[in-house]
Amino acid sequence: MSAIRYEKDADQIVTLTIDMPGQSANTMNADYRAAMQETTARLLTEAKEISGIVIASAKDTFFAGGDLKELIQAQPENAQEFFTMVESLKAQLRLIETLGVPVAAAINGAALGGGWEIALACHHRVCLNSPKVKIGLPEVTLGLLPGGGGVVRMVRLLGLEKALPLLMEGKQLRPDKALAMGLVHELVETRDELVPRAKAWITANPKAKQPWDEKGYKLPGGAPSNPRVAQVLAVAPAMLLQKTRGCYPAPKAIMSAAVEGAQVDFDTATRIESRYFTQLATGQVAKNMIGTFWFQLNEIKAGGSRPADVPKAEFSKVGVLGAGMMGAGIAYAAATRGIDVVLKDVSQENAEKGKAYSEKLLAKQVSRGQKKESQKNDILARIQPTADAADLAGCDIIIEAVFENRELKAKVTQEAEAQAAPGALISSNTSTLPITGLAEASAKPENFIGLHFFSPVDKMPLVEIIRGAQTSDETLARAFDFVLQIDKTPIVVNDSRGFFTSRVFGTMVNEGIGMLAEGVHPALIEQAAAQAGFPVGPLALADEVSMGLMLHIRNQTKADFAAEGKSWDAHPAEAIVDEMVDEYKREGKAKGGGFYEYPKNGSKFLWPQLVERWTKADAGVSLEEARDRLLFIKAVETARCMQENVLESVRDANIGSIFGIGFPPWTGGALQFINQYGLPQFVTRARQLEAKYGPRFAPPQSLIDMAAAGETFRD
């Protein structure tokens, strides 16, 4: 069975219906290429007997794009072969585009990546007006550029100024927005209207061509040589470098392909695009990002870490204990997904303030046209603020989100559990306290689990699910289902102090503060983090978290260690945190200042006294070494979490490290960073850092054994 059905009607209009056998979506794999080769050969033969072409899809979506299973296999030694394949694929689309008959796309669903590139090769685009339809070129989010002609055609269609943001940010557009930008030409309300409308346009426009194939065509907005465009392009590379820190080659390649392609003829431009695409596809960063953000993320969302033999659960009413920023954010996340929320705090006033957080977020969305006033009111109506525990009656899940105090958490958990529905899921949003200990407050510890959200909840996609010693498989599965129901990404970890994310997050913050204790200039510390690809430096992170909270958690942990008869190994960062909090009263951003100053009308800047108090001229730490220390401390600790069975899957480690604790996305995650560094080389470098800075950099034995056996981290 061919992947493309070829049907000609009485008006000599050919409809090419793409229908990849054995797949739920159409992709540009070997079957597609073979079918398109056969199809274009037939079109060329029958060209004089054809009045037009419609490209349609038999799937629920139009076309999903390139075959990532093929792309991730591309190696530098196969670059020429890969380049030839890409050029062949583009030649097929170019033949259809220049056959001499009008070509229309009937877009029935998502047209992303290669799917949108097929549509761009058509002279006219009719699109289904549905919120499920997305249009765009998101390749940059996987470390690639649109290699099927997308860069060249988008620039020629919109001009450099309008096309570059779409290409370099991977924006996905709804049909109405695409229509307003001139990317699609018609919207229809039903799928059945698509092909007839496309055929009607063909009949009315027998001599249609692409704008860039018309005589006298000029690039919209001006060519790169245009003085106004040239002025913008002169500063664009510097702005791009400031944003990417040189860690992400794809945006730079997109800009280069776009600008270079805008100065030459169409065929030369597509060849330039193919060269940059080949360079990216055979490079390591794309492999890191494709492996993690596509394959591993999809495995997680498909339930890779969920017990398989438990029926799917759906929740209708959630009780949130604590209406502070975290509790308010969780309430918002649940209410926006259609779940009723009881938001409880110690007073009605506090609970109302928590609900006001959702109102503020929703009002902003209404002002931007993202939601209607009626939608805002419907969501707010789902949130019931209260100070009365009796209102928790009927809740099928309870999420405790109060202050990090074991006794307080036990009290509110017991109070809520007594009111909730029988068999309700009971959970804690704690970021550090072991779940097994907190579960002791529950009448049914098998129903107790950790649900660690990240702040701000409305923006952060991750939820860390922590399984306690007595947590049942059914409870774990139900928690997993709840996280997916509120459109978050779940990772599953086993119980331990700090779990995975807080534990590893703390190592990087402490390492940065520890460098300050060694006399390293604070600007160098923060710059090293930026150049490694971390979104925020360790000193800024300490301010965001609050050194007061860090001190509280440390004191709680030290008390727990003492009760368990364990010794406490002080970190070099502790003395600085103590001094900042006790002597200087600088706990962090929320308290007016910490390592940074936060002026009301201006950008934050490093507190000048840091240099005077701690910086030494002979600290002897280079920018490169500081960068390594921040990357390696997180990666080594993640490997320890694997060895100690805190983590059970590589995918949870990689996704959790990026979405939860800001590990640089270009690496593909903490364990993929070790993979791409090379396990033997990583062990060697870690030992060098251990010899210089202490046992916290010591590679775990499991990692040493894997390196010796030639293994890598794979699920």
Side-chain angles (χ1 to χ4, degrees):
M1 176 182 174
S2 175
I4 301 175
R5 291 201 302 272
Y6 187 109
E7 300 168 297
K8 189 190 296 183
D9 66 13
D11 295 322
Q12 307 302 303
I13 297 175
V14 173
T15 300
L16 304 177
T17 305
I18 307 173
D19 189 8
M20 306 296 296
Q23 295 184 193
S24 60
N26 297 316
T27 57
M28 282 183 178
N29 59 14
D31 289 340
Y32 163 83
R33 292 192 295 273
M36 186 56 84
Q37 185 64 43
E38 179 184 328
T39 299
T40 51
R42 182 175 177 182
L43 288 171
L44 196 58
T45 301
E46 300 179 6
K48 293 182 180 179
E49 303 161 15
I50 296 172
S51 61
I53 300 168
V54 176
I55 300 181
S57 167
K59 308 293 186 185
D60 290 336
T61 56
F62 180 69
F63 202 99
D67 188 328
L68 294 175
K69 290 180 181 178
E70 284 188 350
L71 280 170
I72 203 169
Q73 299 299 323
Q75 299 296 330
E77 58 267 27
N78 308 123
Q80 182 59 55
E81 180 184 348
F82 183 86
F83 173 83
T84 301
M85 180 272 290
V86 172
E87 284 287 275
S88 173
L89 184 151
K90 292 160 86 166
Q92 295 167 356
L93 293 178
R94 186 62 174 155
L95 186 148
I96 292 173
E97 185 177 42
T98 59
L99 193 63
V101 299
V103 184
I107 304 170
N108 63 299
L112 298 171
W116 181 238
E117 289 177 300
I118 290 173
L120 284 172
C122 300
H123 308 135
H124 190 75
R125 290 170 287 280
V126 185
C127 184
L128 180 65
N129 188 18
S130 165
K132 294 182 179 180
V133 176
K134 294 180 181 178
I135 287 166
L137 298 166
E139 284 89 344
V140 69
T141 63
L142 296 177
L144 298 167
L145 61 70
V151 175
V152 176
R153 290 188 175 90
M154 285 288 279
V155 168
R156 278 164 167 71
L157 186 64
L158 299 178
L160 283 164
E161 189 173 0
K162 292 182 178 179
L164 279 173
L166 297 177
L167 293 165
M168 295 173 67
E169 297 171 25
K171 290 182 179 179
Q172 298 181 22
L173 306 175
R174 298 296 186 193
D176 56 345
K177 181 66 173 177
L179 179 70
M181 293 187 71
L183 294 173
V184 300
H185 304 95
E186 290 184 74
L187 299 183
V188 298
E189 298 304 318
T190 67
R191 183 168 177 158
D192 291 341
E193 296 175 79
L194 284 166
V195 173
R197 288 281 282 273
K199 288 184 174 181
W201 178 85
I202 286 171
T203 301
N205 296 272
K207 298 188 180 300
K209 290 182 179 180
Q210 293 282 31
W212 45 88
D213 289 325
E214 296 280 5
K215 188 176 180 180
Y217 164 80
K218 291 184 179 180
L219 194 70
S225 58
N226 180 290
R228 189 182 66 83
V229 178
Q231 188 176 12
V232 174
L233 293 178
V235 298
M239 293 174 65
L240 180 63
L241 183 61
Q242 185 178 26
K243 188 174 183 179
T244 67
R245 302 292 181 178
C247 295
Y248 300 91
K252 181 181 178 181
I254 289 171
M255 180 180 289
S256 298
V259 175
E260 292 170 28
Q263 301 176 73
V264 294
D265 63 88
F266 187 92
D267 291 339
T268 303
T270 58
R271 192 156 55 251
I272 290 169
E273 178 191 274
S274 295
R275 287 174 177 157
Y276 280 112
F277 181 58
T278 300
Q279 184 181 43
L280 293 174
T282 57
Q284 187 60 49
V285 171
K287 296 187 189 329
N288 293 343
M289 297 179 75
I290 292 170
T292 299
F293 293 119
W294 183 258
F295 292 108
Q296 293 183 1
L297 184 57
N298 284 337
E299 286 168 11
I300 286 174
K301 291 183 175 180
S305 301
R306 180 192 189 276
D309 56 350
V310 180
K312 185 179 179 181
E314 192 163 326
F315 296 84
S316 59
K317 188 176 182 181
V318 56
V320 180
L321 313 181
M325 187 172 180
M326 266 303 205
I330 295 168
Y332 170 84
T336 53
R337 298 306 184 276
I339 302 174
D340 290 335
V341 180
V342 178
L343 182 59
K344 183 188 177 300
D345 210 299
V346 293
S347 70
Q348 186 68 29
E349 181 184 4
N350 285 356
E352 294 284 356
K353 286 180 180 177
K355 180 174 180 176
Y357 178 81
S358 290
E359 188 167 13
K360 183 179 178 181
L361 291 176
L362 292 165
K364 187 178 291 185
Q365 292 171 34
V366 170
S367 69
R368 293 173 176 172
Q370 297 167 330
K371 274 189 173 61
K372 297 177 181 177
E373 186 72 23
S374 59
Q375 291 175 306
K376 181 193 87 169
N377 293 334
D378 287 345
I379 292 168
L380 290 174
R382 295 190 192 110
I383 302 175
Q384 178 189 356
T386 185
D388 188 351
D391 289 331
L392 297 167
C395 288
D396 43 19
I397 177 171
I398 298 291
I399 303 174
E400 169 271 303
V402 300
F403 189 64
E404 289 287 272
N405 177 280
R406 188 175 286 103
E407 290 72 27
L408 176 61
K409 288 178 180 291
K411 179 184 176 182
V412 300
T413 295
Q414 290 169 346
E415 182 183 55
E417 190 175 38
Q419 301 295 332
L425 191 69
I426 310 297
S427 66
S428 174
N429 179 56
T430 181
S431 59
T432 57
L433 298 175
I435 292 300
T436 301
L438 295 179
E440 293 174 2
S442 172
K444 294 184 177 180
E446 66 273 16
N447 291 351
F448 196 95
I449 199 163
L451 289 178
H452 177 205
F453 290 78
F454 296 79
S455 184
V457 178
D458 58 288
K459 293 180 180 178
M460 297 293 279
L462 194 76
V463 176
E464 183 179 31
I465 303 176
I466 306 104
R467 182 173 192 161
Q470 297 185 63
T471 303
S472 68
D473 280 354
E474 181 183 1
T475 296
L476 174 56
R478 292 171 67 204
F480 198 97
D481 294 339
F482 173 75
V483 174
L484 290 180
Q485 188 177 341
I486 62 171
D487 201 26
K488 298 292 184 183
T489 301
I491 63 167
V492 177
V493 306
N494 290 315
D495 197 19
S496 73
R497 188 169 302 281
F499 321 125
F500 163 51
T501 55
S502 294
R503 170 177 167 176
V504 177
F505 174 86
T507 62
M508 185 250 202
V509 173
N510 279 338
E511 196 62 31
I513 300 174
M515 281 191 253
L516 186 63
E518 295 167 22
V520 179
H521 198 290
L524 185 147
I525 297 167
E526 299 293 84
Q527 182 63 22
Q531 292 201 7
F534 288 104
V536 183
L539 303 182
L541 279 173
D543 277 3
E544 293 286 344
V545 171
S546 162
M547 280 176 276
L549 178 59
M550 290 166 61
L551 185 57
H552 169 78
I553 292 171
R554 189 214 307 165
N555 290 338
Q556 176 76 66
T557 307
K558 287 174 75 172
D560 290 347
F561 270 42
E564 297 167 11
K566 297 178 181 177
S567 61
W568 177 261
D569 295 326
H571 191 283
E574 292 179 16
I576 286 188
V577 172
D578 291 342
E579 193 171 338
M580 288 291 287
V581 174
D582 297 335
E583 183 174 339
Y584 297 114
K585 311 300 180 187
R586 297 184 65 87
E587 294 188 26
K589 184 178 180 180
K591 293 295 181 72
F595 291 120
Y596 281 82
E597 294 279 18
Y598 298 92
K600 289 183 179 179
N601 299 312
S603 301
K604 67 183 181 185
F605 58 90
L606 284 161
W607 184 40
Q609 198 164 333
L610 292 180
V611 176
E612 180 183 332
R613 173 65 184 86
W614 284 290
T615 302
K616 300 173 185 175
D618 59 349
V621 176
S622 67
L623 187 65
E624 182 181 2
E625 179 136 317
R627 178 181 182 271
D628 273 5
R629 287 173 67 175
L630 297 176
L631 286 166
F632 270 71
I633 197 66
K634 276 191 171 185
V636 166
E637 196 66 24
T638 301
R640 284 199 193 105
C641 287
M642 289 292 288
Q643 177 174 279
E644 297 169 14
N645 204 40
V646 175
L647 287 163
E648 293 186 359
S649 80
V650 173
R651 58 177 172 262
D652 284 349
N654 284 331
I655 290 295
S657 67
I658 294 173
F659 287 0
I661 55 178
F663 205 79
W666 67 266
T667 65
L671 295 185
Q672 179 56 25
F673 172 70
I674 298 175
N675 283 345
Q676 59 108 42
Y677 200 94
L679 268 69
Q681 295 87 342
F682 184 91
V683 167
T684 298
R685 180 60 174 142
R687 281 173 166 161
Q688 291 171 352
L689 294 171
E690 177 191 6
K692 197 168 182 180
Y693 301 109
R696 62 185 180 273
F697 284 102
Q701 188 59 47
S702 60
L703 183 61
I704 295 169
D705 294 343
M706 288 175 67
E711 298 174 353
T712 57
F713 287 104
R714 294 285 184 270
D715 280 327

